[in-house]
Amino acid sequence: MLVVSTEYSQILAANVAKGLDCPLGGVKFSRFPDGEQYLRLSATDRHMVIVGSIPEADALIQILLLVDACEGAEITLVVPYMGYARQDKRFHEGEPLSARVIARVLSTGVSRVLTVNIHDRAVLSHFHVPVRDASLAGEIGRYLEKSEFSSPLVLAPDEGAAAFAGQVAAVCGWETDHLEKTRISGNEVRMAPRNLEAKGRDVVIVDDIISTGGTLATAVAMLKEQGARSVSSVCVHGVLAEGAYARLLSGGVREVACSDTLERACSRYSAAGAVVDGIEGCW
Ligand code: R5P
């Protein structure tokens, strides 16, 4: 078995190779004068593991080129962050089902696919090959346990994320709840924990993705108003678009932490263990 990665997932791929106790293959990446991408593998094996997140279109092209370069091998494709997965419905007439498009493309030429906390598990049904989704709830829980919190409360930003937050909280043995939006007037919305009080507590908001940080910024401001002692946030995929990281910290968030599905300076815990388990245990 040989692990290779796109340029976007090098650190995670190295840790996955270590966990699988197999070599990490070298890949040379360059571009043609017109901007098109080129790559070349330094070695191949009968079983190739390709690791590549998709934060942008060039990352998808690198995966497709790697898959083709591994032609003839049994290929396990690991997509730690699957971009385009959030457009999983036709919200308006004339829109594509982007998540389905990407799932179909990623199914071509590979034996199986492993994703990590995909935005909606329903997207998995669009793959044409066996697919699994690994969850980092355990990793987040173990990461949080190392911090010193006073009366910690794990909050999901909405009801949809409540089960995930609950799994995280269960690891730490902490209380959990989800935020509920109440419309006070035409332009005024209140966000507060549905059942519990935030007052005097160290609150940790757990979500799958922080993209613009808009959801979180609103929640933080409201929780502070409600007397939370501190508000931290941990997500799986730190997309951090539009200056989200700086905006959140300047808005009073104690810490913004994410995994290495997207390699960021605030990647504080790794998806490698869950990916290794997924590769070793599922097939
Ligand atoms: C929504 O369903 C997701 O779980 C996240 O809450 C959302 O994608 C975060 O987006 P943003 O950071 O732009 O508010």
Side-chain angles (χ1 to χ4, degrees), residues 1-272:
M1 189 186 279
L2 184 66
V3 177
V4 291
S5 85
T6 64
E7 287 180 291
Y8 298 82
S9 298
Q10 301 172 58
I11 297 163
L12 177 56
N15 289 325
V16 167
K18 209 174 187 180
L20 290 170
D21 199 19
C22 74
L24 177 69
V27 186
K28 175 186 184 310
F29 294 95
S30 63
R31 283 186 188 264
F32 290 103
D34 59 2
E36 289 179 359
Q37 298 196 69
Y38 167 90
L39 61 80
R40 186 172 177 195
L41 299 173
S42 58
T44 54
D45 189 80
R46 268 189 314 119
H47 185 180
M48 299 293 294
V49 175
I50 298 174
V51 185
S53 280
I54 310 176
E56 58 187 51
D58 274 353
L60 176 62
I61 300 288
Q62 290 190 359
I63 292 175
L64 302 184
L65 296 180
L66 280 173
V67 168
D68 198 71
C70 295
E71 193 180 20
E74 181 182 342
I75 300 172
T76 299
L77 174 60
V78 181
V79 187
Y81 170 67
M82 183 176 146
Y84 289 89
R86 280 184 289 171
Q87 178 76 27
D88 55 359
K89 292 180 185 64
R90 289 188 209 277
F91 299 96
H92 304 283
E93 202 180 325
E95 287 181 349
L97 235 168
S98 310
R100 184 176 67 182
V101 175
I102 303 299
R104 284 177 176 172
V105 168
L106 293 176
S107 301
T108 306
V110 306
S111 309
R112 59 193 70 88
V113 175
L114 179 69
T115 57
V116 178
N117 286 104
I118 197 162
H119 184 62
D120 184 344
R121 290 179 61 85
V123 170
L124 301 179
S125 68
H126 298 308
F127 285 87
H128 293 162
V129 291
V131 58
R132 290 243 175 175
D133 185 58
S135 172
L136 301 192
E139 278 74 8
I140 296 181
R142 287 186 285 281
Y143 169 72
L144 287 173
E145 269 181 329
K146 291 184 213 145
S147 307
E148 291 206 353
F149 287 119
S150 165
S151 184
L153 171 62
V154 177
L155 277 184
D158 54 41
E159 198 176 354
F164 184 55
Q167 289 157 13
V168 170
V171 175
C172 311
W174 296 345
E175 282 194 305
T176 184
D177 197 356
H178 69 267
L179 286 165
E180 200 169 54
K181 266 189 203 169
T182 317
R183 186 155 292 283
I184 313 282
S185 64
N187 55 6
E188 211 187 336
V189 170
R190 183 174 183 270
M191 270 175 118
R194 184 179 160 84
N195 301 307
L196 300 170
E197 282 278 320
K199 192 163 186 219
R201 307 186 74 164
D202 284 330
V203 175
V204 184
I205 300 180
V206 172
D207 206 354
D208 60 340
I209 299 174
I210 299 175
S211 182
T212 64
T215 312
L216 198 51
T218 311
V220 171
M222 301 243 160
L223 288 164
K224 290 248 168 166
E225 245 177 62
Q226 289 154 35
R229 185 169 171 264
S230 74
V231 184
S232 308
S233 73
V234 186
C235 70
V236 175
H237 312 294
V239 174
L240 305 178
E242 299 174 8
Y245 183 79
R247 188 151 65 95
L248 289 169
L249 285 201
S250 69
V253 178
R254 173 170 140 174
E255 185 192 16
V256 177
C258 62
S259 79
D260 53 3
T261 57
L262 292 168
E263 293 170 353
R264 306 286 187 226
C266 61
S267 295
R268 304 258 188 259
Y269 69 99
S270 181

